[in-house]
Amino acid sequence: MDTAFGGLYSNMSQAFEFSFTDQNEQVRFNGYMPAFNIGANQNELQIYIPGEYEINYMIRIAAAELPDQAISAGVRQDGNFIDSTLQYSILSTTENTILQGSVIEFLGGQVDLAFLAAGAAAFDLAPLTNAVLTVKRISPLP
């Protein structure tokens, strides 16, 4: 089995504002985790060896100022959301909202983390580490 793994994280302030459904925006990263056979471009990972990968991700959203806002987030491959990664939540006005997941999917190409609007919403990411995206190859070479 040829090893491949890598990850990105964010601990910087980020603000998002969506005005309509299905609008999407990439989460920005400012930190790099160790990587092997995975490229780390700005805000995305480049999968050099196609195969089945374990994908882990997390986003912490600070308490929203306005009630009744909702958002989805998930991992995209080459700009398209991977359905099994999409998470949905109504944003809390009193505590952090956490969107996270762990799935196994076939990957090849560029992978990033993004929001998908469920309607109008405005929010900031929480302080400290507020977004993480990691991949680890689990399939053997043919």
Side-chain angles (χ1 to χ4, degrees):
M1 182 163 143
D2 206 5
T3 301
F5 58 85
L8 300 167
Y9 69 92
S10 166
N11 58 11
M12 65 182 175
S13 298
Q14 295 186 57
F16 294 88
E17 188 170 336
F18 299 96
S19 54
F20 56 88
T21 302
D22 292 334
Q23 185 179 358
N24 62 73
E25 187 173 342
Q26 184 182 60
V27 174
R28 296 177 308 278
F29 294 99
N30 64 332
Y32 298 93
M33 296 181 190
F36 185 75
N37 283 334
I38 298 284
N41 302 324
Q42 185 173 3
N43 303 324
E44 62 191 15
L45 297 172
Q46 177 69 45
I47 307 300
Y48 294 138
I49 306 170
E52 286 80 19
Y53 282 77
E54 179 180 357
I55 307 167
N56 292 287
Y57 60 96
M58 180 277 301
I59 303 172
R60 284 188 327 114
I61 301 169
E65 292 183 20
L66 300 174
D68 302 321
Q69 298 183 87
I71 194 71
S72 292
V75 177
R76 298 185 301 185
Q77 179 170 216
D78 296 327
N80 299 308
F81 281 99
I82 300 170
D83 288 340
S84 63
T85 68
L86 281 171
Q87 297 289 316
Y88 169 87
S89 183
I90 295 173
L91 300 179
S92 173
T93 57
T94 58
E95 56 188 42
N96 290 340
T97 300
I98 298 174
L99 298 171
Q100 62 185 354
S102 179
V103 300
I104 296 172
E105 286 285 345
F106 186 89
L107 296 180
Q110 295 179 342
V111 177
D112 69 356
L113 188 58
F115 286 108
L116 177 63
F123 56 87
D124 297 328
L125 296 190
L128 303 175
T129 300
N130 51 36
V132 173
L133 173 63
T134 66
V135 295
K136 179 182 176 185
R137 189 170 193 276
I138 58 173
S139 61
L141 285 175

